[in-house]
Amino acid sequence: MKLSDFNFDLPQELIAQHPSNVRGQDKLMLLNRETGQVEHHSMDDLPDLILPGTLMIFNNSKVRRARCYGIKQTTGREQEFMFLNQIDKDGKVWNTMVKSAKKQKPGMKYTFPDGSVGTIVDHPGNAGSEFRALAFDFVLDESWFEKNGHIPLPPYIRREDTLEDSERYQNVYAKETGSAACPTAGLHFTEDMLARLDAKGIERDFVTLHVGLGTFLPVREENIEDHKMHEEVFTVPQSTADKINKAKKEGRPILAVGTTSVRTLESACDENGVVKAGTSSTHIFMYPGYKFKVIDQMFTNFHTPESTLIMLVSAFAGREHILSAYEKAVENKYHFFSYGDAMFIR
């Protein structure tokens, strides 16, 4: 398939730059993936749209303050680094995504706001890419990121992060710190909404996938089959795997909240759709033609044109259905992307 097959016209004013005034007060589109039929709802309607007995799976990864700015010692210029993951056993070397990466070479040193110094070191596979390995002489812990980091808002949010983002660019159930971007489908859920789902007899459990930027990097290949995803680490607890497999045996729907939950479940299963517990990594890339083994329904946001995310939802609901639904979303002034409105595909 061609990259252009997943393009659509999106007015700039529909790209949400801020969260809704009140968490959870968002529009919700219901899409029937068999017929393509669309209904317009609000998030308040969600518990009435889900069958009792459905098992919802959320990603409980917590966003790290992963965007950090260092001063290049040779020039005095500020340099942005997006910290993605540790790449050594000691936790002193980090894989980072770097602006103007070609100019940032091994041996260059950068001073961060607390006075600590990071040095670019050689790492296999980084040559010619936007990634650089940054080494420190101590272990970076979460307190370091709290002191030196910023909320890693995506580039289509054209503003600096604020105190509000510290709360709103984080899911209310987030627990396991490690993501460089928020699993944003969960931003629509409040404690009150979770309680309402409980009251309706809708079961829920959690997996963890720490979001790197592989999910969000642009697809540069015109033939999408040639695109390679970066790896992301996920964990499925034994209790969660048991609940999923039990629900599948009983014929109850599995509703994945967010594309990261989808990627986790589809990566953690065998060819028969049986989910196995444990920690692993995935570079799974889902586009039309992919056969889903675990999930039956999906709750997600509206995604960027020509992204791996719109390809994933197109694999689930059909490209024509998705593009038609997105056209209706534009007509009805839905807001798109991380701080935008939601879609429930069933």
Side-chain angles (χ1 to χ4, degrees), residues 50-56 200-203 247 250-254:
I50 302 174
L51 285 175
T54 296
L55 174 58
M56 298 181 73
K200 291 280 290 189
I202 297 160
E203 195 176 9
E250 294 172 352
R252 293 187 283 120
I254 306 298

Side-chain angles (χ1 to χ4, degrees), residues 196-214:
R196 289 180 60 201
L197 293 168
D198 290 344
K200 291 280 290 189
I202 297 160
E203 195 176 9
R204 71 174 182 274
D205 213 326
F206 300 92
V207 295
T208 305
L209 181 143
H210 292 314
V211 186
L213 293 186

Side-chain angles (χ1 to χ4, degrees), residues 324-338:
S324 175
Y326 275 38
E327 185 177 344
K328 292 181 176 69
V330 170
E331 291 172 359
N332 287 274
K333 306 297 184 186
Y334 279 69
H335 286 107
F336 280 64
F337 310 161
S338 294

